[in-house]
Amino acid sequence: MFWRNVGRRSVWREMDRLQREMNRMMDGFSEGARSEFPPVNIWANEENAMITAELPGVSTEDLDISVVGDTLTLSGERQAQNGDEEQTYRRRERWQGSFSRTLQLPFRIDAEAVDATFAHGILSVVLPRAEADKPHRISISAN
Amino acid sequence: MTESTIVKQEEQEYGGAERTRARRVYIPRVDIYETGDAVVLLADMPGVDENGVDVTLERNILTITGYIQDDERAGYGLAYREYGEGDYERTFALSDEVDRNRIEATIRDGVLVLTLPKAEEMKTRKIAVRSAA
């Protein structure tokens, strides 16, 4: 029954492969909707929100930030960093191309006071809450 | 573009050993291409500056390590997260074709560029073809 052993082993191998494949796919899902470039983190305090985005290799000239009402749009292009010399790729894992991402915040942004910095491939945009949208403290009067 | 090209991959373990720093470690995504006289490696390490990068070559094992600076987002709380912050590390086995003494590394906008010049005898040579007339 030699053939059966061989057959069985290969079935398990196939199952293992399938399981790995599934795990790999599920990994992607459990991370949430992360497939968009650039990935962003959103930080908040009472006054402002801050958005940080990983944009390695994007130069500031190729990056465009716009604010309208309560939305922020990051768009630009990540260009391949290579010379014009003839080249052969051995590995290509880094993403390149043009991107555009729009994020909606739970408040109106004071567009005049937005401050963006870009350092070591990380963009940080501080988005202050518009004056009209700031929380008001209500004083309670005893009668 | 598949999802796996965007999602940052976390390194699970390092040769079975535990780490001494309590920070996550990610595997930087790389491009490796070959030109006539060098092999060029580009690695995405957002948040790493020139003081935080380490390139070591031991025998034929090339290790690139990037340390991020502690995040100075004082006064803010994280509300939504798509990427994790942490250090970077990745190891490559080099072949003999690289001239070890002339490896150059630069980092700009969070991308490490390693130029590994080919050893003299490994450089691409153009062979002139003569006509047999």
Side-chain angles (χ1 to χ4, degrees):
Chain A
M1 292 305 240
F2 180 63
W3 63 272
R4 184 172 278 177
N5 278 338
V6 170
R8 204 168 131 194
R9 206 180 298 148
S10 70
V11 163
W12 286 116
R13 198 174 297 154
E14 181 63 15
M15 289 291 277
D16 282 345
R17 195 192 61 78
L18 265 172
Q19 191 176 7
R20 271 201 303 275
E21 192 71 16
M22 287 301 281
N23 284 345
R24 199 181 57 77
M25 282 169 66
M26 297 317 257
D27 270 356
F29 286 124
S30 64
E31 310 269 80
R34 286 200 186 181
S35 55
E36 271 184 282
F37 187 88
V40 299
N41 281 356
I42 302 177
W43 307 74
N45 63 16
E46 280 179 21
E47 306 257 298
N48 310 324
M50 176 163 66
I51 289 180
T52 58
E54 285 192 324
L55 288 159
V58 176
S59 63
T60 42
E61 300 94 73
D62 290 334
L63 186 60
D64 202 47
I65 306 165
S66 63
V67 172
V68 178
D70 61 355
T71 60
L72 167 85
T73 304
L74 300 176
S75 55
E77 196 183 355
R78 180 155 124 140
Q79 294 172 351
Q81 275 178 313
N82 45 29
D84 350 285
E85 249 188 296
E86 199 176 304
Q87 51 194 244
T88 331
Y89 273 93
R90 291 187 179 181
R91 253 169 214 256
R92 213 163 186 177
E93 301 168 356
R94 298 168 65 242
W95 183 85
Q96 65 188 59
S98 48
F99 58 87
S100 178
R101 261 200 98 166
T102 302
L103 299 153
Q104 189 176 17
L105 289 159
F107 54 80
R108 288 179 65 81
I109 303 158
D110 182 358
E112 297 296 311
V114 173
D115 181 43
T117 52
F118 185 68
H120 319 305
I122 294 193
L123 173 77
S124 312
V125 190
V126 176
L127 304 156
R129 216 178 253 254
E131 205 53 53
D133 265 19
K134 281 197 177 152
H136 287 278
R137 187 174 280 270
I138 317 284
S139 55
I140 305 162
S141 54
N143 48 353
Chain B
M1 177 176 71
T2 58
E3 193 155 354
S4 62
T5 60
I6 298 296
V7 177
K8 216 164 158 183
Q9 227 188 332
E10 191 176 346
E11 194 172 57
Q12 296 304 328
E13 56 179 33
Y14 185 61
E18 272 192 62
R19 292 178 177 282
T20 53
R21 287 163 76 106
R23 219 190 245 160
R24 287 165 186 271
V25 176
Y26 293 92
I27 304 167
R29 247 185 295 286
V30 301
D31 279 356
I32 300 176
Y33 64 84
E34 196 179 328
T35 63
D37 47 12
V39 174
V40 181
L41 185 152
L42 306 174
D44 280 350
M45 301 207 262
V48 176
D49 63 9
E50 64 277 9
N51 302 315
V53 67
D54 246 356
V55 179
T56 57
L57 180 63
E58 202 185 332
R59 295 195 186 173
N60 66 333
I61 303 296
L62 176 81
T63 307
I64 54 174
T65 318
Y67 300 104
I68 58 157
Q69 292 179 342
D70 287 315
D71 54 284
E72 62 252 20
R73 285 165 199 127
Y76 284 95
L78 186 60
Y80 171 71
R81 192 182 97 142
E82 285 183 350
Y83 68 88
E85 288 174 339
D87 298 333
Y88 300 90
E89 187 163 80
R90 194 154 172 186
T91 307
F92 300 91
L94 288 189
S95 59
D96 288 332
E97 64 186 316
V98 169
D99 183 347
R100 283 126 198 272
N101 301 318
R102 293 192 296 128
I103 296 176
E104 274 177 47
T106 54
I107 189 159
R108 188 164 171 255
D109 292 340
V111 179
L112 174 73
V113 182
L114 263 185
T115 310
L116 312 160
K118 287 189 194 170
E120 210 50 53
E121 61 270 25
M122 292 294 183
K123 280 188 183 168
T124 315
R125 264 183 219 116
K126 265 233 154 79
I127 315 289
V129 181
R130 287 172 301 180
S131 76

